[in-house]
Amino acid sequence: MKYPSEYIIGRHSSCDIVLLVNEISSKHAELVIGVDERVFLTDCGSKNGTFLLKEQEWQPVRQTYVQVNDTVSFGSFEISVSRLLDMLKQKRVSYHSADGGSKQFNSSKKMENLSQDKPIILDVDGKIKNK
């Protein structure tokens, strides 16, 4: 990754991380990775909020620095910051929930043999589905 880098997370197909979940806003949040490699998370005025898990409690986020080992939530869609950063290395990522609901996927899943030209689509179980 080149630094500083800015990534948009949301439901719209132009986002860097696409989460096709009904409660995710078109432009839900932004991750900025600074030249010092610190990760800054901003909620973009989303309807269902962005949250950070701190001391076993969800804290609403407007703007904050996050750590690699933190867990964040976009609405009720939970994901680790380390998983977000791993996915960003693949350039474009999509998560698709077939039932329109939000799902949490296993951060230990590996993404191999993926084209950087196409979005990565994850099904409700966190399995990679290339279209």
Side-chain angles (χ1 to χ4, degrees):
M1 277 185 236
K2 295 181 180 179
Y3 303 105
S5 300
E6 299 175 10
Y7 302 97
I8 301 297
I9 300 163
R11 199 176 61 235
H12 194 272
S13 62
S14 66
C15 292
D16 299 292
I17 297 177
V18 179
L19 304 174
L20 297 177
V21 177
N22 288 337
E23 68 182 70
I24 303 298
S25 297
S26 294
K27 182 181 175 186
H28 198 98
E30 179 180 40
L31 270 181
V32 176
I33 305 169
V35 292
D36 58 359
E37 297 188 16
R38 290 181 66 187
V39 181
F40 192 69
L41 178 64
T42 302
D43 182 82
C44 296
S46 67
K47 181 179 178 183
N48 292 304
T50 300
F51 303 89
L52 173 64
L53 187 61
K54 283 290 186 189
E55 299 176 10
Q56 300 182 352
E57 289 189 28
W58 289 106
Q59 305 293 323
V61 169
R62 286 198 178 136
Q63 293 184 326
T64 190
Y65 282 103
V66 293
Q67 305 295 319
V68 172
N69 61 341
D70 284 338
T71 300
V72 296
S73 173
F74 306 107
S76 63
F77 181 89
E78 298 175 23
I79 188 168
S80 69
V81 172
S82 64
R83 178 69 168 159
L84 283 172
L85 296 175
D86 286 346
M87 291 188 318
L88 287 170
K89 290 177 185 176
Q90 297 294 330
K91 189 176 178 183
R92 293 280 305 267
V93 182
S94 296
Y95 173 87
H96 178 69
S97 173
D99 63 2
S102 53
K103 304 286 181 187
Q104 181 177 3
F105 51 84
N106 186 338
S107 63
S108 67
K109 302 266 183 215
K110 294 193 186 223
M111 293 186 273
E112 299 172 348
N113 301 321
L114 298 172
S115 167
Q116 292 191 10
D117 297 338
K118 297 179 183 176
I120 300 164
I121 301 184
L122 302 176
D123 68 12
V124 296
D125 298 320
K127 294 179 183 172
I128 298 170
K129 302 288 182 186
N130 289 337
K131 287 191 172 182

